[in-house]
């Protein structure tokens, strides 16, 4: 055994554990367990064709070699991406800290108050800068956020508008090209008609319901939109504005000139460019849209004691939960990046941000003047950071690249230069030297940019305060910020404390060796639109990752573009749609979806313009094949696709899967496989083998990208031969199939920086290690199933009685004792564990997925906790709610209070099992009241006065 093998670090159970666990599950060997679990007709005959696994050391050296193939130029391309300075204190204490990056989405609010507070800060920052009332806790990227604005306003048309032909959406020609491409993708299936034009000359008709403006425009020009917005509103047309977050420090907020929705990216608040992502986009709107807003919102509420507590607001209204009535499918967003951007604002505060924005703006102003002195014409009248110079683009490009500088060249005679936080006086002089060389004149040397200069006219300048809240005015030294971050981190239970057995979410190890390269500027500091030759390291890595994923799924091609699983679903369905259209099957629009599917499936189908037909499940939890056959037959002329999760969301490898996929193919449909459960397939079987045509993968589940508290995600789609030509493209950088659909996300390869993690995972595990990971995931699940046997009943299992990589545990019988599934989830906190998935896909149950990364000792502690809780349940009765389960979780304040009025001991409350003593985790608030917060919706930090009154 090679002891430097990464596999040994990634997989939890030891060789000795293996024997004990096989004994417990009554299997002779791993092979026998797998034989009893996975149907024979889909088992792969041959090992995956992947390179031999690298050790951690080999991988580190390999990545340095690849990184050296990226050329980090000084880049002034702009177009929504700018070099930014990530404060080291945030890099080290958040980005590089598993306490933050391994956290799950904060559904269990009592053990997530830290990231909830960080996100509330983020929302407050967005509301302040945009001048809006309500902001969500991030979206996938600016272009996606703009598309969400377009569709939210579409769904919110007035009744009269819905009755008439009101389906036009005006898009300013100043919009970023990637946003326009994405709007097209999202508009087509909903029959929204995009009208692109000049906002200064455009005249609305009653066919328009909304409009989108870019602020500042892509040219860099800052327009005064006030009159336009006023005219639009007079005609009942709603306005969305895509705004540059840093510019809002100096410019009038879109809220102040009447915008209904404001979107944008927070990348330039300290987040690495990462060749396209991940970055947090923001979405801010008016209170009246609170029920329609996509994504998640964090809100203030109270706990059992009436103390302030935070939680995800309007939780049950998270759009995709509305299934085919949803107007958005957003599930995973960009939480970790939102936390970082919010912290950037906490660290710099209003004065720091003003300093940064002024420096950028002053630099642009001085550069404009200096280049004018050299005889060049600068085209922008009012600008924040971007100037446009009339010059021979080819000539400038050659001179610039020789000095390792990138500008943007909109046409043959224009050079666009977008400055940023990291631009120094030296950089300005390099830019000037390029132009002086081009003009043959002597360079003027800039020495000082400390004196503020502005070129923004008074009517466009911001006059209002922002970030007045205490949190943005308290932590400006590194010591203070470090401690603030730590204070929040301590409130959150993450994988560095205990296992998080989140069914369907695969919370496995996010290895340090996979994460380390993310801190390297050779990866971090590459703009997504640089010439491809400058990103050779990325190109090599991304194309290898595409090949690896193609091999693992048994398909023919992969697109890394989607930024989440749900975005992958939409992408896959749009590719299917394009395929049908290429064959003149324009009418194929029926999508069959089993009743147990994740809410994003029907939501994505509707977004792709399909009609959802739900198929039944049998009592055993499998797809009812007869019902499926009947519905496929009934809709055979219009069948577009089946969406199926495999193994099923019930945690079973349905043995009829090949029959199911062939029924769909016989009727001319394509099969979409939701790949969230891919951790039960890798190396054993694959979507190709079960007969699917396209799947998405959640790289943030199966392929080791950390969950980040709810993002980032990467949701690539892998497709069969016939769908490869339609893989999504990008309007700036050539990528995708020969008949590529328009963009699915803003950047050509989506969140490239995060892709490095999955590349590391696959490269260090290799074919063998990947297969072992799947086997151990199955073993661990079956081990838990066996240990809980006799205490809890497990719903559904395969034909030979085995669970897949996860299982559903029934908690409904405990209602007889007055105990709800939520009580169990909260009580687990007292035992130091995060609850498994609650009430998906079956209400009143939990879904447990241990993953391969947990060893026997941790699995035993988790089972011991559940078994102990089971005993507590049997002692509970319906008419006495004063018990440990109903009162859970117990806080340190409760247990150390001078009075103790509960009918059980403090030890029983807080230390019910012996292992807890040496590793106690204290929930920071008592049980959180969701309904109270929803009735009194507050989604920003309270104003400073609220604190003063209290004091
Ligand atoms: C997680 C999940 C999704 C959605 O993926 P996101 O990355 O959160 O968008 C879809 N289907 C299933 C079954 C899932 O578990």
């Amino acid at each position: 055994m090679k002891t430097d093998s990464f596999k040994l670090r990634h997989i939890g159970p030891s060789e000795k554990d293996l024997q004990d666990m096989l004994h417990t599950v009554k299997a002779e060997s791993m092979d026998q367990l797998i034989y009893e679990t996975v149907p024979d007709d889909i088992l792969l005959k041959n090992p995956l064709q992947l390179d031999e696994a690298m050790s951690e050391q080999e991988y580190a050296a390999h990545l340095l070699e690849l990184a050296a193939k990226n050329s980090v130029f000084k880049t002034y391309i702009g177009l929504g991406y700018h070099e930014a300075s990530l404060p080291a204190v945030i890099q080290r204490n958040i980005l590089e800290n598993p306490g933050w990056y391994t956290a799950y989405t904060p559904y269990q609010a009592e053990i997530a108050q830290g990231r909830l507070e960080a996100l509330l800060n983020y929302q407050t920052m967005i509301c302040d800068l945009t001048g809006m009332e309500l902001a969500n806790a991030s979206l996938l990227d600016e272009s996606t956020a703009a598309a969400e604005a377009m569709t939210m306003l579409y769904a919110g048309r007035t009744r009269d508008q819905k009755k008439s032909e009101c389906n036009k959406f005006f898009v300013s020609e100043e919009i970023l090209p990637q946003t326009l491409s994405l709007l097209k993708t999202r508009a087509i299936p909903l029959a929204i008609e995009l009208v692109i034009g000049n906002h200064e000359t455009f005249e609305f008709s009653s066919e328009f319901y909304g409009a989108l403006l870019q602020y500042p425009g892509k040219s860099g020009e800052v327009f005064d939109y006030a009159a336009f917005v006023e005219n639009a509103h007079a005609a009942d047309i709603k306005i969305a504005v895509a705004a540059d977050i840093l510019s809002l420090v100096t410019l009038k907020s879109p809220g102040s000139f009447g915008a209904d929705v404001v979107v944008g990216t927070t990348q330039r608040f300290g987040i690495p460019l990462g060749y396209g992502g991940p970055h947090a986009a923001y979405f801010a709107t008016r209170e009246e849209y609170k029920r329609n807003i996509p994504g998640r919102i964090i809100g203030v509420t109270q706990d059992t004691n009436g103390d302030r507590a935070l939680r995800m607001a309007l939780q049950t209204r998270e759009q995709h939960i509305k299934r085919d009535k949803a107007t958005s499918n957003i599930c995973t967003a960009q939480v970790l990046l939102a936390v970082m951007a919010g912290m950037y604002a906490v660290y710099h505060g209003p004065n720091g941000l003003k300093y940064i924005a002024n420096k950028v703006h002053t630099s642009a102003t001085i550069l404009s003047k200096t280049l004018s002195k050299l005889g060049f014409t600068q085209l922008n009248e009012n600008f924040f950071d971007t100037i446009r110079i009339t010059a021979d683009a080819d000539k400038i490009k050659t001179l610039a690249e020789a000095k390792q500088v990138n500008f943007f060249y909109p046409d043959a005679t224009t050079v666009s230069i977008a400055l940023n936080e990291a631009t120094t006086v030296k950089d300005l002089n390099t830019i000037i030297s390029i132009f002086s060389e081009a003009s043959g004149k002597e360079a003027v040397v800039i020495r000082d940019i400390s004196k503020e200069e502005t070129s923004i006219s008074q009517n466009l300048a911001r006059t209002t305060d922002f970030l007045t809240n205490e949190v943005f005015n308290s932590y400006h030294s590194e010591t203070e910020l470090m401690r603030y971050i730590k204070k929040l981190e301590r409130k959150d239970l993450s994988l560095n404390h205990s296992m998080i057995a989140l069914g369907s979410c695969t919370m496995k190890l996010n290895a340090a060796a996979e994460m380390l390269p993310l801190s390297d500027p050779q990866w971090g500091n590459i703009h997504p639109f640089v010439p491809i030759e400058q990103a050779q390291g990325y190109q090599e890595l991304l194309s290898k990752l595409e090949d690896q994923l193609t091999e693992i799924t048994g398909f023919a091609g992969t697109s890394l573009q989607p930024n989440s699983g749900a975005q992958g679903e939409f992408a896959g369905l749009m590719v299917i749609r394009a395929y049908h259209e290429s064959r003149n099957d324009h009418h194929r629009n029926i999508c069959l979806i089993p009743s147990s599917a994740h809410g994003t499936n029907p939501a994505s189908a509707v977004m792709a313009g399909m009609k959802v037909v739900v198929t039944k499940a049998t009592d055993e939890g499998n797809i009812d094949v007869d019902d499926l056959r009947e519905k496929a037959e009934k809709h055979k002329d219009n069948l577009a696709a089946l969406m199926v999760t495999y193994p099923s969301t019930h945690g079973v490898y349905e043995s009829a899967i090949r029959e199911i996929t062939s029924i769909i193919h016989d009727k001319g449909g394509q099969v979409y496989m939701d790949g969230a459960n891919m951790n039960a397939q890798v190396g054993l079987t694959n979507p190709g083998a079960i007969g699917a045509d396209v799947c998405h993968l959640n790289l943030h589940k199966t392929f080791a990208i950390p969950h980040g508290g709810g993002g980032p995600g990467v949701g690539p789609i892998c497709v069969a031969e016939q769908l490869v030509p339609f893989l999504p493209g990008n309007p700036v950088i050539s990528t995708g199939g020969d008949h590529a659909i328009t963009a699915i996300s803003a950047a050509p390869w989506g969140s490239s920086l995060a892709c490095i993690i999955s590349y590391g995972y696959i490269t260090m595990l290799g074919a063998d290690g990947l297969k072992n990971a799947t086997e151990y995931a199955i073993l661990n699940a079956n081990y838990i199933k066996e240990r809980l046997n006799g205490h809890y009943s497990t719903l559904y299992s395969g034909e030979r009685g085995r669970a897949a990589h996860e299982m559903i545990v029934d908690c409904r019988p405990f209602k007889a004792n007055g105990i709800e599934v939520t009580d169990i989830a909260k009580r687990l906190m007292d035992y130091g564990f995060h609850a498994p998935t609650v009430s998906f896909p079956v209400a009143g149950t939990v879904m447990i997925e241990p993953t391969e990364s947990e060893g026997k000792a941790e699995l035993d502690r988790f089972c011991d906790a559940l078994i102990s809780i089971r005993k507590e349940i049997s002692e509970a009765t319906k008419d006495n709610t004063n018990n440990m389960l109903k009162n859970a979780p117990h806080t340190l304040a409760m247990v150390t209070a001078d009075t103790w009025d509960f009918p059980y001991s403090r030890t029983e409350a807080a230390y019910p099992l012996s292992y807890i003593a040496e590793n106690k985790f204290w929930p920071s608030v008592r049980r959180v009241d969701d309904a109270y917060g929803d009735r009194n919706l507050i989604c920003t930090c309270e104003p400073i006065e609220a604190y003063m009154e209290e004091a």
Side-chain angles (χ1 to χ4, degrees), residues 148-162:
E148 292 288 337
M150 171 182 79
T151 53
M152 186 187 86
L153 295 176
Y154 182 69
R157 286 168 303 160
T158 63
R159 197 175 312 154
D160 286 348
Q161 286 177 328
K162 280 181 182 160

Side-chain angles (χ1 to χ4, degrees), residues 884 890 895 900 902-911:
M884 287 179 270
H890 297 84
V895 173
W900 179 260
F902 303 104
Y904 45 88
S905 74
R906 288 177 154 108
T907 308
E908 285 172 304
Y911 295 95

Side-chain angles (χ1 to χ4, degrees), residues 731-797:
V732 185
I733 300 286
S734 164
T735 182
D738 296 338
H739 304 282
I741 60 168
T742 43
I744 286 295
S745 74
W749 290 276
S751 293
S752 306
L753 188 67
C755 284
I756 297 173
I757 302 165
S758 297
Y759 175 70
Y761 175 78
I762 296 169
T763 304
M764 288 190 284
L765 277 181
D768 247 15
L770 287 169
K771 179 162 169 264
N772 290 159
T774 311
E775 291 168 339
Y776 277 89
I778 292 169
L779 173 66
N780 281 2
N782 280 286
Y783 178 74
I784 292 182
K785 181 165 180 273
E786 215 50 56
R787 278 221 49 204
L788 296 184
N789 194 7
H791 305 281
Y792 292 88
S793 54
T794 307
L795 294 178
Y796 318 121
S797 24

Side-chain angles (χ1 to χ4, degrees), residues 58-80:
E58 286 166 338
Y59 180 70
H62 169 62
L63 258 244
L64 281 179
E65 247 170 61
L66 280 183
K69 295 185 187 176
N70 291 328
S71 314
V72 180
F73 282 24
K74 274 283 163 188
T75 296
Y76 307 103
I77 293 174
L79 296 179

Side-chain angles (χ1 to χ4, degrees), residues 155 190 316-330 569 573 589-615 643:
L190 300 181
T316 50
R317 293 179 202 95
E318 210 177 10
Q319 279 288 329
H320 66 80
I321 290 175
K322 299 181 192 167
R323 304 186 81 88
D324 56 336
K325 304 283 182 300
T327 51
S328 163
N329 64 350
I330 298 285
E569 291 171 25
L573 293 172
N589 71 338
I590 300 288
C591 187
L592 300 181
I593 300 182
S595 53
S596 65
H598 195 264
T600 52
N601 289 190
S604 301
V606 169
M607 281 166 55
M610 295 184 184
K611 253 184 75 193
V612 174
V613 173
V614 177
T615 74
M643 291 186 91

Side-chain angles (χ1 to χ4, degrees), residues 356-372:
I356 292 165
N358 284 336
K359 190 181 120 192
V360 171
H361 179 61
T362 299
S363 301
T365 307
I366 292 175
L367 183 63
S368 170
K369 283 185 184 163
T370 313
L371 295 182
S372 299

